Amino acid sequence: MFAFCTLLSDSAVNGSYEAGDVTLVVINLQKHEEATVDLPTHLLNAEVDVYHLTPGNNNLTSYSVLLNGKKLELRDDHQLPVVTAVKQDASKPITLPPVTYGFYVIRNAKAAACL
């Protein structure tokens, strides 16, 4: 797991983030077991934007990648697709499916290093 200050605005992401927001990067290389992360109690009122990247057909050698279960593909105009998060309440543990690379943006984390 790795944490960093969230980029404040990005045209590829629908919605913008604010100073103090934190992004967690978690990788689960287990083939059959989920991984879970519990956030500290002072973040339990936050909202989490979830971005799960998984291989197509759960095959690590797949030529396709899924974002939150939807295949990532260039749009008709050859531009990158709009990236849409799944919203999660921070009071629930973060659950990372097997063979998944996850980004979790913790909104309103108010991390001092990111203000």
PDB file of all heavy atoms in Angstrom, residues 26-30 32-38 52 93-100 104:
ATOM      1  N   VAL A  26      -3.335   0.300  -3.643  1.00  0.00           N
ATOM      2  CA  VAL A  26      -3.218  -1.021  -3.025  1.00  0.00           C
ATOM      3  C   VAL A  26      -3.201  -2.060  -4.140  1.00  0.00           C
ATOM      4  O   VAL A  26      -4.001  -1.984  -5.075  1.00  0.00           O
ATOM      5  CB  VAL A  26      -4.404  -1.298  -2.072  1.00  0.00           C
ATOM      6  CG1 VAL A  26      -4.229  -2.628  -1.368  1.00  0.00           C
ATOM      7  CG2 VAL A  26      -4.570  -0.175  -1.053  1.00  0.00           C
ATOM      8  N   ILE A  27      -2.303  -3.009  -4.040  1.00  0.00           N
ATOM      9  CA  ILE A  27      -2.208  -4.082  -5.033  1.00  0.00           C
ATOM     10  C   ILE A  27      -2.469  -5.406  -4.330  1.00  0.00           C
ATOM     11  O   ILE A  27      -1.866  -5.696  -3.294  1.00  0.00           O
ATOM     12  CB  ILE A  27      -0.821  -4.114  -5.694  1.00  0.00           C
ATOM     13  CG1 ILE A  27      -0.522  -2.782  -6.367  1.00  0.00           C
ATOM     14  CG2 ILE A  27      -0.731  -5.263  -6.702  1.00  0.00           C
ATOM     15  CD1 ILE A  27       0.899  -2.651  -6.859  1.00  0.00           C
ATOM     16  N   ASN A  28      -3.376  -6.198  -4.894  1.00  0.00           N
ATOM     17  CA  ASN A  28      -3.635  -7.537  -4.374  1.00  0.00           C
ATOM     18  C   ASN A  28      -3.210  -8.547  -5.438  1.00  0.00           C
ATOM     19  O   ASN A  28      -3.870  -8.694  -6.461  1.00  0.00           O
ATOM     20  CB  ASN A  28      -5.118  -7.719  -4.038  1.00  0.00           C
ATOM     21  CG  ASN A  28      -5.388  -9.078  -3.416  1.00  0.00           C
ATOM     22  OD1 ASN A  28      -4.478  -9.856  -3.192  1.00  0.00           O
ATOM     23  ND2 ASN A  28      -6.651  -9.368  -3.152  1.00  0.00           N
ATOM     24  N   LEU A  29      -2.112  -9.235  -5.183  1.00  0.00           N
ATOM     25  CA  LEU A  29      -1.598 -10.221  -6.126  1.00  0.00           C
ATOM     26  C   LEU A  29      -2.107 -11.630  -5.835  1.00  0.00           C
ATOM     27  O   LEU A  29      -1.786 -12.564  -6.571  1.00  0.00           O
ATOM     28  CB  LEU A  29      -0.067 -10.215  -6.122  1.00  0.00           C
ATOM     29  CG  LEU A  29       0.567  -8.898  -6.595  1.00  0.00           C
ATOM     30  CD1 LEU A  29       2.081  -8.981  -6.476  1.00  0.00           C
ATOM     31  CD2 LEU A  29       0.147  -8.564  -8.008  1.00  0.00           C
ATOM     32  N   GLN A  30      -2.905 -11.772  -4.782  1.00  0.00           N
ATOM     33  CA  GLN A  30      -3.489 -13.075  -4.466  1.00  0.00           C
ATOM     34  C   GLN A  30      -4.458 -13.493  -5.572  1.00  0.00           C
ATOM     35  O   GLN A  30      -5.249 -12.680  -6.038  1.00  0.00           O
ATOM     36  CB  GLN A  30      -4.230 -13.028  -3.124  1.00  0.00           C
ATOM     37  CG  GLN A  30      -3.346 -12.703  -1.950  1.00  0.00           C
ATOM     38  CD  GLN A  30      -2.301 -13.777  -1.712  1.00  0.00           C
ATOM     39  OE1 GLN A  30      -2.576 -14.974  -1.817  1.00  0.00           O
ATOM     40  NE2 GLN A  30      -1.093 -13.363  -1.404  1.00  0.00           N
ATOM     41  N   HIS A  32      -6.881 -15.825  -5.321  1.00  0.00           N
ATOM     42  CA  HIS A  32      -8.203 -16.266  -4.886  1.00  0.00           C
ATOM     43  C   HIS A  32      -8.715 -15.563  -3.629  1.00  0.00           C
ATOM     44  O   HIS A  32      -9.838 -15.831  -3.212  1.00  0.00           O
ATOM     45  CB  HIS A  32      -8.193 -17.772  -4.646  1.00  0.00           C
ATOM     46  CG  HIS A  32      -7.737 -18.556  -5.844  1.00  0.00           C
ATOM     47  ND1 HIS A  32      -8.497 -18.675  -6.985  1.00  0.00           N
ATOM     48  CD2 HIS A  32      -6.599 -19.228  -6.087  1.00  0.00           C
ATOM     49  CE1 HIS A  32      -7.847 -19.394  -7.876  1.00  0.00           C
ATOM     50  NE2 HIS A  32      -6.680 -19.739  -7.367  1.00  0.00           N
ATOM     51  N   GLU A  33      -7.917 -14.690  -3.033  1.00  0.00           N
ATOM     52  CA  GLU A  33      -8.330 -14.073  -1.775  1.00  0.00           C
ATOM     53  C   GLU A  33      -8.428 -12.556  -1.903  1.00  0.00           C
ATOM     54  O   GLU A  33      -7.573 -11.918  -2.513  1.00  0.00           O
ATOM     55  CB  GLU A  33      -7.323 -14.404  -0.669  1.00  0.00           C
ATOM     56  CG  GLU A  33      -7.290 -15.868  -0.307  1.00  0.00           C
ATOM     57  CD  GLU A  33      -6.301 -16.145   0.818  1.00  0.00           C
ATOM     58  OE1 GLU A  33      -6.120 -15.269   1.684  1.00  0.00           O
ATOM     59  OE2 GLU A  33      -5.709 -17.238   0.802  1.00  0.00           O
ATOM     60  N   GLU A  34      -9.497 -11.993  -1.305  1.00  0.00           N
ATOM     61  CA  GLU A  34      -9.634 -10.538  -1.243  1.00  0.00           C
ATOM     62  C   GLU A  34      -8.657  -9.987  -0.212  1.00  0.00           C
ATOM     63  O   GLU A  34      -8.244 -10.689   0.704  1.00  0.00           O
ATOM     64  CB  GLU A  34     -11.051 -10.158  -0.811  1.00  0.00           C
ATOM     65  CG  GLU A  34     -12.114 -10.486  -1.806  1.00  0.00           C
ATOM     66  CD  GLU A  34     -13.495 -10.062  -1.326  1.00  0.00           C
ATOM     67  OE1 GLU A  34     -13.703  -9.945  -0.096  1.00  0.00           O
ATOM     68  OE2 GLU A  34     -14.352  -9.846  -2.177  1.00  0.00           O
ATOM     69  N   ALA A  35      -8.328  -8.733  -0.359  1.00  0.00           N
ATOM     70  CA  ALA A  35      -7.545  -8.019   0.646  1.00  0.00           C
ATOM     71  C   ALA A  35      -8.436  -6.918   1.212  1.00  0.00           C
ATOM     72  O   ALA A  35      -9.272  -6.362   0.494  1.00  0.00           O
ATOM     73  CB  ALA A  35      -6.294  -7.412   0.014  1.00  0.00           C
ATOM     74  N   THR A  36      -8.296  -6.616   2.483  1.00  0.00           N
ATOM     75  CA  THR A  36      -9.095  -5.549   3.084  1.00  0.00           C
ATOM     76  C   THR A  36      -8.197  -4.560   3.809  1.00  0.00           C
ATOM     77  O   THR A  36      -7.144  -4.922   4.329  1.00  0.00           O
ATOM     78  CB  THR A  36     -10.147  -6.093   4.067  1.00  0.00           C
ATOM     79  OG1 THR A  36      -9.486  -6.834   5.083  1.00  0.00           O
ATOM     80  CG2 THR A  36     -11.165  -6.964   3.376  1.00  0.00           C
ATOM     81  N   VAL A  37      -8.651  -3.313   3.816  1.00  0.00           N
ATOM     82  CA  VAL A  37      -7.947  -2.232   4.504  1.00  0.00           C
ATOM     83  C   VAL A  37      -8.982  -1.478   5.327  1.00  0.00           C
ATOM     84  O   VAL A  37     -10.014  -1.059   4.793  1.00  0.00           O
ATOM     85  CB  VAL A  37      -7.283  -1.264   3.498  1.00  0.00           C
ATOM     86  CG1 VAL A  37      -6.636  -0.103   4.224  1.00  0.00           C
ATOM     87  CG2 VAL A  37      -6.279  -1.994   2.626  1.00  0.00           C
ATOM     88  N   ASP A  38      -8.715  -1.326   6.610  1.00  0.00           N
ATOM     89  CA  ASP A  38      -9.576  -0.521   7.470  1.00  0.00           C
ATOM     90  C   ASP A  38      -8.950   0.858   7.612  1.00  0.00           C
ATOM     91  O   ASP A  38      -7.761   0.971   7.918  1.00  0.00           O
ATOM     92  CB  ASP A  38      -9.730  -1.158   8.853  1.00  0.00           C
ATOM     93  CG  ASP A  38     -10.524  -2.446   8.816  1.00  0.00           C
ATOM     94  OD1 ASP A  38     -11.563  -2.476   8.136  1.00  0.00           O
ATOM     95  OD2 ASP A  38     -10.099  -3.420   9.464  1.00  0.00           O
ATOM     96  N   HIS A  52     -10.981   0.300  -9.345  1.00  0.00           N
ATOM     97  CA  HIS A  52     -10.358  -1.029  -9.384  1.00  0.00           C
ATOM     98  C   HIS A  52      -9.955  -1.362 -10.810  1.00  0.00           C
ATOM     99  O   HIS A  52     -10.785  -1.330 -11.719  1.00  0.00           O
ATOM    100  CB  HIS A  52     -11.340  -2.106  -8.909  1.00  0.00           C
ATOM    101  CG  HIS A  52     -11.512  -2.151  -7.443  1.00  0.00           C
ATOM    102  ND1 HIS A  52     -12.588  -2.752  -6.852  1.00  0.00           N
ATOM    103  CD2 HIS A  52     -10.746  -1.686  -6.426  1.00  0.00           C
ATOM    104  CE1 HIS A  52     -12.480  -2.655  -5.544  1.00  0.00           C
ATOM    105  NE2 HIS A  52     -11.376  -2.002  -5.256  1.00  0.00           N
ATOM    106  N   PRO A  93     -14.939  -1.335   5.404  1.00  0.00           N
ATOM    107  CA  PRO A  93     -13.557  -1.646   5.024  1.00  0.00           C
ATOM    108  C   PRO A  93     -13.391  -1.566   3.509  1.00  0.00           C
ATOM    109  O   PRO A  93     -14.313  -1.869   2.745  1.00  0.00           O
ATOM    110  CB  PRO A  93     -13.351  -3.089   5.495  1.00  0.00           C
ATOM    111  CG  PRO A  93     -14.463  -3.362   6.447  1.00  0.00           C
ATOM    112  CD  PRO A  93     -15.592  -2.454   6.082  1.00  0.00           C
ATOM    113  N   ILE A  94     -12.224  -1.161   3.082  1.00  0.00           N
ATOM    114  CA  ILE A  94     -11.893  -1.171   1.656  1.00  0.00           C
ATOM    115  C   ILE A  94     -11.582  -2.619   1.298  1.00  0.00           C
ATOM    116  O   ILE A  94     -10.757  -3.259   1.947  1.00  0.00           O
ATOM    117  CB  ILE A  94     -10.689  -0.262   1.378  1.00  0.00           C
ATOM    118  CG1 ILE A  94     -11.100   1.203   1.571  1.00  0.00           C
ATOM    119  CG2 ILE A  94     -10.124  -0.507   0.001  1.00  0.00           C
ATOM    120  CD1 ILE A  94      -9.948   2.171   1.477  1.00  0.00           C
ATOM    121  N   THR A  95     -12.268  -3.129   0.300  1.00  0.00           N
ATOM    122  CA  THR A  95     -12.090  -4.517  -0.112  1.00  0.00           C
ATOM    123  C   THR A  95     -11.527  -4.552  -1.522  1.00  0.00           C
ATOM    124  O   THR A  95     -12.106  -3.977  -2.440  1.00  0.00           O
ATOM    125  CB  THR A  95     -13.431  -5.281  -0.051  1.00  0.00           C
ATOM    126  OG1 THR A  95     -13.943  -5.189   1.275  1.00  0.00           O
ATOM    127  CG2 THR A  95     -13.242  -6.738  -0.414  1.00  0.00           C
ATOM    128  N   LEU A  96     -10.420  -5.215  -1.661  1.00  0.00           N
ATOM    129  CA  LEU A  96      -9.745  -5.311  -2.946  1.00  0.00           C
ATOM    130  C   LEU A  96      -9.854  -6.748  -3.455  1.00  0.00           C
ATOM    131  O   LEU A  96      -9.348  -7.672  -2.830  1.00  0.00           O
ATOM    132  CB  LEU A  96      -8.280  -4.912  -2.785  1.00  0.00           C
ATOM    133  CG  LEU A  96      -7.454  -4.749  -4.033  1.00  0.00           C
ATOM    134  CD1 LEU A  96      -7.980  -3.605  -4.891  1.00  0.00           C
ATOM    135  CD2 LEU A  96      -6.014  -4.471  -3.669  1.00  0.00           C
ATOM    136  N   PRO A  97     -10.546  -6.950  -4.587  1.00  0.00           N
ATOM    137  CA  PRO A  97     -10.680  -8.303  -5.134  1.00  0.00           C
ATOM    138  C   PRO A  97      -9.321  -8.904  -5.502  1.00  0.00           C
ATOM    139  O   PRO A  97      -8.326  -8.195  -5.624  1.00  0.00           O
ATOM    140  CB  PRO A  97     -11.524  -8.088  -6.402  1.00  0.00           C
ATOM    141  CG  PRO A  97     -12.210  -6.776  -6.199  1.00  0.00           C
ATOM    142  CD  PRO A  97     -11.252  -5.958  -5.388  1.00  0.00           C
ATOM    143  N   PRO A  98      -9.291 -10.227  -5.721  1.00  0.00           N
ATOM    144  CA  PRO A  98      -8.041 -10.872  -6.147  1.00  0.00           C
ATOM    145  C   PRO A  98      -7.519 -10.264  -7.450  1.00  0.00           C
ATOM    146  O   PRO A  98      -8.288  -9.739  -8.255  1.00  0.00           O
ATOM    147  CB  PRO A  98      -8.457 -12.331  -6.368  1.00  0.00           C
ATOM    148  CG  PRO A  98      -9.703 -12.507  -5.553  1.00  0.00           C
ATOM    149  CD  PRO A  98     -10.393 -11.183  -5.566  1.00  0.00           C
ATOM    150  N   VAL A  99      -6.235 -10.337  -7.650  1.00  0.00           N
ATOM    151  CA  VAL A  99      -5.497  -9.824  -8.809  1.00  0.00           C
ATOM    152  C   VAL A  99      -6.025  -8.463  -9.275  1.00  0.00           C
ATOM    153  O   VAL A  99      -6.401  -8.268 -10.412  1.00  0.00           O
ATOM    154  CB  VAL A  99      -5.437 -10.840  -9.986  1.00  0.00           C
ATOM    155  CG1 VAL A  99      -4.613 -12.046  -9.609  1.00  0.00           C
ATOM    156  CG2 VAL A  99      -6.806 -11.253 -10.482  1.00  0.00           C
ATOM    157  N   THR A 100      -6.006  -7.526  -8.358  1.00  0.00           N
ATOM    158  CA  THR A 100      -6.536  -6.186  -8.624  1.00  0.00           C
ATOM    159  C   THR A 100      -5.568  -5.122  -8.134  1.00  0.00           C
ATOM    160  O   THR A 100      -4.919  -5.269  -7.117  1.00  0.00           O
ATOM    161  CB  THR A 100      -7.899  -5.990  -7.925  1.00  0.00           C
ATOM    162  OG1 THR A 100      -8.815  -6.958  -8.424  1.00  0.00           O
ATOM    163  CG2 THR A 100      -8.473  -4.607  -8.154  1.00  0.00           C
ATOM    164  N   TYR A 104      -7.804   4.419  -4.278  1.00  0.00           N
ATOM    165  CA  TYR A 104      -8.885   4.845  -3.396  1.00  0.00           C
ATOM    166  C   TYR A 104      -8.639   6.300  -3.024  1.00  0.00           C
ATOM    167  O   TYR A 104      -7.655   6.605  -2.344  1.00  0.00           O
ATOM    168  CB  TYR A 104      -8.925   3.981  -2.135  1.00  0.00           C
ATOM    169  CG  TYR A 104      -9.066   2.522  -2.459  1.00  0.00           C
ATOM    170  CD1 TYR A 104      -7.944   1.716  -2.610  1.00  0.00           C
ATOM    171  CD2 TYR A 104     -10.318   1.962  -2.656  1.00  0.00           C
ATOM    172  CE1 TYR A 104      -8.070   0.375  -2.940  1.00  0.00           C
ATOM    173  CE2 TYR A 104     -10.452   0.626  -2.980  1.00  0.00           C
ATOM    174  CZ  TYR A 104      -9.329  -0.164  -3.119  1.00  0.00           C
ATOM    175  OH  TYR A 104      -9.450  -1.486  -3.453  1.00  0.00           O
TER     176      TYR A 104
END
